[in-house]
Structures are given as structure tokens and as C-alpha cells.
Amino acid sequence: MVTMGADRHEFRALPLKQYELVLQNAQQVLDSLLRQPPRPWLCFGDVVRDLGRQASVLSQQAAACRLQRAFRRHAQRFAAKAANGTDDVAVAMDALPAVAKPPTVRQKPPTPPSAPCISAPCISAPCISA
């Protein structure tokens, strides 16, 4: 069976410095396109859209990785505290009352009765003068 040369090529990651240089070049190209007067068409529209989508996905993946890393550190600290015998959670739970009381509901103060209008003449009922 004859195989093409693509099977022999393995994916190798570029050094980070080379990635940085390529991304800086792409940034300069996009900046120069933005400096041109607006036109009804987009030069290399598919490439620009794909680049934007890929940049967004890469940013989201990095944020998710940072969140996972922070959660793992938090879980490790919590497990270390529990293993050392400092059960802050158990102490905190013991401090809570057995039956929680519902929060007190703040009621509005009663509104005072409105004073009779003296300046306007009474239409519906005869006015009582003192």
C-alpha cells in the first residue's frame, strides 16, 4: 500500500517565542486593516472571522483552566486542613443553632390618615366650617 508523506509528519509544537512573533505579525496586519477607511466588504473575511473565533475560544479555554486550577488549590487546602485536625467546618457547624429561625420581616409603618383639604372646595360632601 502506498502512503502519502503526510503520515510521516508528526505535529510538533513551535517554540513559544515563534508563536508570539506570529501572533504579533497577525496583530499588525489586523491593525493596518482597521486603519484603512471602512468599506462594504471585508478583505480576507473568512480568515479574519476564523481568527477572531479561535482567539475567543483560546481565551475561554485559558480562563477555564485558571478556574480549575484555583478550585483544585482550594480543595487541596481544605483537605489539608481537614487532615491536620483543624476542623473549622465542624466548629462552625456546631456554632449554628439546631433550628434556624426565619428572618424577621420588616413591616411598613401604618400610614397616617390624610388631613382634610382646607384650600380646595369640597365637591362630594358639604364642607363643615368650624
Side-chain angles (χ1 to χ4, degrees), residues 55-70:
S56 177
V57 168
L58 184 63
S59 179
Q60 290 173 354
Q61 287 176 350
C65 183
R66 286 191 301 269
L67 184 65
Q68 288 175 349
R69 185 177 289 173

PDB file of all heavy atoms in Angstrom, residues 55-70:
ATOM      1  N   ALA A  55      -9.395  33.003  18.574  1.00  0.00           N
ATOM      2  CA  ALA A  55      -8.874  33.801  19.690  1.00  0.00           C
ATOM      3  C   ALA A  55      -9.847  33.769  20.862  1.00  0.00           C
ATOM      4  O   ALA A  55      -9.440  33.656  22.027  1.00  0.00           O
ATOM      5  CB  ALA A  55      -8.615  35.231  19.240  1.00  0.00           C
ATOM      6  N   SER A  56     -11.140  33.836  20.573  1.00  0.00           N
ATOM      7  CA  SER A  56     -12.155  33.791  21.628  1.00  0.00           C
ATOM      8  C   SER A  56     -12.155  32.437  22.337  1.00  0.00           C
ATOM      9  O   SER A  56     -12.202  32.371  23.567  1.00  0.00           O
ATOM     10  CB  SER A  56     -13.521  34.077  21.025  1.00  0.00           C
ATOM     11  OG  SER A  56     -14.516  33.970  21.994  1.00  0.00           O
ATOM     12  N   VAL A  57     -12.085  31.361  21.570  1.00  0.00           N
ATOM     13  CA  VAL A  57     -12.077  30.013  22.153  1.00  0.00           C
ATOM     14  C   VAL A  57     -10.825  29.814  23.003  1.00  0.00           C
ATOM     15  O   VAL A  57     -10.888  29.270  24.114  1.00  0.00           O
ATOM     16  CB  VAL A  57     -12.192  28.935  21.052  1.00  0.00           C
ATOM     17  CG1 VAL A  57     -11.895  27.552  21.596  1.00  0.00           C
ATOM     18  CG2 VAL A  57     -13.566  28.967  20.428  1.00  0.00           C
ATOM     19  N   LEU A  58      -9.693  30.282  22.501  1.00  0.00           N
ATOM     20  CA  LEU A  58      -8.440  30.138  23.252  1.00  0.00           C
ATOM     21  C   LEU A  58      -8.504  30.896  24.569  1.00  0.00           C
ATOM     22  O   LEU A  58      -8.077  30.388  25.613  1.00  0.00           O
ATOM     23  CB  LEU A  58      -7.269  30.636  22.403  1.00  0.00           C
ATOM     24  CG  LEU A  58      -5.879  30.478  23.002  1.00  0.00           C
ATOM     25  CD1 LEU A  58      -5.554  29.005  23.216  1.00  0.00           C
ATOM     26  CD2 LEU A  58      -4.849  31.119  22.092  1.00  0.00           C
ATOM     27  N   SER A  59      -9.081  32.087  24.543  1.00  0.00           N
ATOM     28  CA  SER A  59      -9.225  32.877  25.765  1.00  0.00           C
ATOM     29  C   SER A  59     -10.155  32.189  26.762  1.00  0.00           C
ATOM     30  O   SER A  59      -9.885  32.152  27.962  1.00  0.00           O
ATOM     31  CB  SER A  59      -9.755  34.265  25.408  1.00  0.00           C
ATOM     32  OG  SER A  59      -9.927  35.040  26.545  1.00  0.00           O
ATOM     33  N   GLN A  60     -11.261  31.610  26.264  1.00  0.00           N
ATOM     34  CA  GLN A  60     -12.194  30.902  27.149  1.00  0.00           C
ATOM     35  C   GLN A  60     -11.553  29.659  27.757  1.00  0.00           C
ATOM     36  O   GLN A  60     -11.759  29.363  28.937  1.00  0.00           O
ATOM     37  CB  GLN A  60     -13.450  30.519  26.380  1.00  0.00           C
ATOM     38  CG  GLN A  60     -14.322  31.689  26.019  1.00  0.00           C
ATOM     39  CD  GLN A  60     -15.466  31.299  25.101  1.00  0.00           C
ATOM     40  OE1 GLN A  60     -15.554  30.170  24.638  1.00  0.00           O
ATOM     41  NE2 GLN A  60     -16.345  32.246  24.813  1.00  0.00           N
ATOM     42  N   GLN A  61     -10.780  28.935  26.970  1.00  0.00           N
ATOM     43  CA  GLN A  61     -10.109  27.742  27.490  1.00  0.00           C
ATOM     44  C   GLN A  61      -9.087  28.113  28.564  1.00  0.00           C
ATOM     45  O   GLN A  61      -8.972  27.428  29.579  1.00  0.00           O
ATOM     46  CB  GLN A  61      -9.420  26.984  26.356  1.00  0.00           C
ATOM     47  CG  GLN A  61     -10.367  26.256  25.442  1.00  0.00           C
ATOM     48  CD  GLN A  61      -9.664  25.592  24.269  1.00  0.00           C
ATOM     49  OE1 GLN A  61      -8.480  25.821  24.014  1.00  0.00           O
ATOM     50  NE2 GLN A  61     -10.407  24.771  23.528  1.00  0.00           N
ATOM     51  N   ALA A  62      -8.356  29.203  28.343  1.00  0.00           N
ATOM     52  CA  ALA A  62      -7.381  29.643  29.347  1.00  0.00           C
ATOM     53  C   ALA A  62      -8.083  30.047  30.635  1.00  0.00           C
ATOM     54  O   ALA A  62      -7.619  29.725  31.734  1.00  0.00           O
ATOM     55  CB  ALA A  62      -6.552  30.801  28.800  1.00  0.00           C
ATOM     56  N   ALA A  63      -9.218  30.739  30.518  1.00  0.00           N
ATOM     57  CA  ALA A  63      -9.976  31.132  31.719  1.00  0.00           C
ATOM     58  C   ALA A  63     -10.504  29.912  32.457  1.00  0.00           C
ATOM     59  O   ALA A  63     -10.464  29.853  33.688  1.00  0.00           O
ATOM     60  CB  ALA A  63     -11.121  32.062  31.321  1.00  0.00           C
ATOM     61  N   ALA A  64     -10.997  28.922  31.719  1.00  0.00           N
ATOM     62  CA  ALA A  64     -11.489  27.696  32.353  1.00  0.00           C
ATOM     63  C   ALA A  64     -10.355  26.957  33.053  1.00  0.00           C
ATOM     64  O   ALA A  64     -10.542  26.424  34.152  1.00  0.00           O
ATOM     65  CB  ALA A  64     -12.144  26.791  31.318  1.00  0.00           C
ATOM     66  N   CYS A  65      -9.186  26.947  32.455  1.00  0.00           N
ATOM     67  CA  CYS A  65      -8.030  26.287  33.065  1.00  0.00           C
ATOM     68  C   CYS A  65      -7.640  26.991  34.364  1.00  0.00           C
ATOM     69  O   CYS A  65      -7.347  26.342  35.367  1.00  0.00           O
ATOM     70  CB  CYS A  65      -6.865  26.283  32.074  1.00  0.00           C
ATOM     71  SG  CYS A  65      -5.414  25.422  32.658  1.00  0.00           S
ATOM     72  N   ARG A  66      -7.644  28.332  34.354  1.00  0.00           N
ATOM     73  CA  ARG A  66      -7.309  29.076  35.576  1.00  0.00           C
ATOM     74  C   ARG A  66      -8.329  28.812  36.667  1.00  0.00           C
ATOM     75  O   ARG A  66      -7.981  28.653  37.844  1.00  0.00           O
ATOM     76  CB  ARG A  66      -7.237  30.573  35.274  1.00  0.00           C
ATOM     77  CG  ARG A  66      -6.000  30.986  34.515  1.00  0.00           C
ATOM     78  CD  ARG A  66      -5.846  32.505  34.477  1.00  0.00           C
ATOM     79  NE  ARG A  66      -6.981  33.168  33.870  1.00  0.00           N
ATOM     80  CZ  ARG A  66      -7.097  33.470  32.580  1.00  0.00           C
ATOM     81  NH1 ARG A  66      -6.140  33.146  31.748  1.00  0.00           N
ATOM     82  NH2 ARG A  66      -8.167  34.093  32.125  1.00  0.00           N
ATOM     83  N   LEU A  67      -9.594  28.726  36.288  1.00  0.00           N
ATOM     84  CA  LEU A  67     -10.648  28.445  37.267  1.00  0.00           C
ATOM     85  C   LEU A  67     -10.493  27.057  37.863  1.00  0.00           C
ATOM     86  O   LEU A  67     -10.605  26.871  39.082  1.00  0.00           O
ATOM     87  CB  LEU A  67     -12.017  28.594  36.609  1.00  0.00           C
ATOM     88  CG  LEU A  67     -13.221  28.424  37.502  1.00  0.00           C
ATOM     89  CD1 LEU A  67     -13.264  29.529  38.540  1.00  0.00           C
ATOM     90  CD2 LEU A  67     -14.489  28.440  36.681  1.00  0.00           C
ATOM     91  N   GLN A  68     -10.211  26.067  37.029  1.00  0.00           N
ATOM     92  CA  GLN A  68      -9.998  24.706  37.528  1.00  0.00           C
ATOM     93  C   GLN A  68      -8.797  24.640  38.454  1.00  0.00           C
ATOM     94  O   GLN A  68      -8.826  23.978  39.499  1.00  0.00           O
ATOM     95  CB  GLN A  68      -9.809  23.745  36.359  1.00  0.00           C
ATOM     96  CG  GLN A  68     -11.067  23.457  35.590  1.00  0.00           C
ATOM     97  CD  GLN A  68     -10.807  22.597  34.364  1.00  0.00           C
ATOM     98  OE1 GLN A  68      -9.657  22.376  33.982  1.00  0.00           O
ATOM     99  NE2 GLN A  68     -11.876  22.126  33.735  1.00  0.00           N
ATOM    100  N   ARG A  69      -7.731  25.328  38.077  1.00  0.00           N
ATOM    101  CA  ARG A  69      -6.516  25.324  38.902  1.00  0.00           C
ATOM    102  C   ARG A  69      -6.793  25.950  40.261  1.00  0.00           C
ATOM    103  O   ARG A  69      -6.377  25.426  41.304  1.00  0.00           O
ATOM    104  CB  ARG A  69      -5.410  26.075  38.177  1.00  0.00           C
ATOM    105  CG  ARG A  69      -4.086  26.017  38.910  1.00  0.00           C
ATOM    106  CD  ARG A  69      -3.017  26.705  38.115  1.00  0.00           C
ATOM    107  NE  ARG A  69      -2.721  25.877  36.945  1.00  0.00           N
ATOM    108  CZ  ARG A  69      -1.916  26.255  35.971  1.00  0.00           C
ATOM    109  NH1 ARG A  69      -1.364  27.449  35.998  1.00  0.00           N
ATOM    110  NH2 ARG A  69      -1.665  25.464  34.963  1.00  0.00           N
ATOM    111  N   ALA A  70      -7.525  27.067  40.284  1.00  0.00           N
ATOM    112  CA  ALA A  70      -7.861  27.717  41.555  1.00  0.00           C
ATOM    113  C   ALA A  70      -8.751  26.821  42.409  1.00  0.00           C
ATOM    114  O   ALA A  70      -8.567  26.735  43.628  1.00  0.00           O
ATOM    115  CB  ALA A  70      -8.551  29.054  41.282  1.00  0.00           C
TER     116      ALA A  70
END
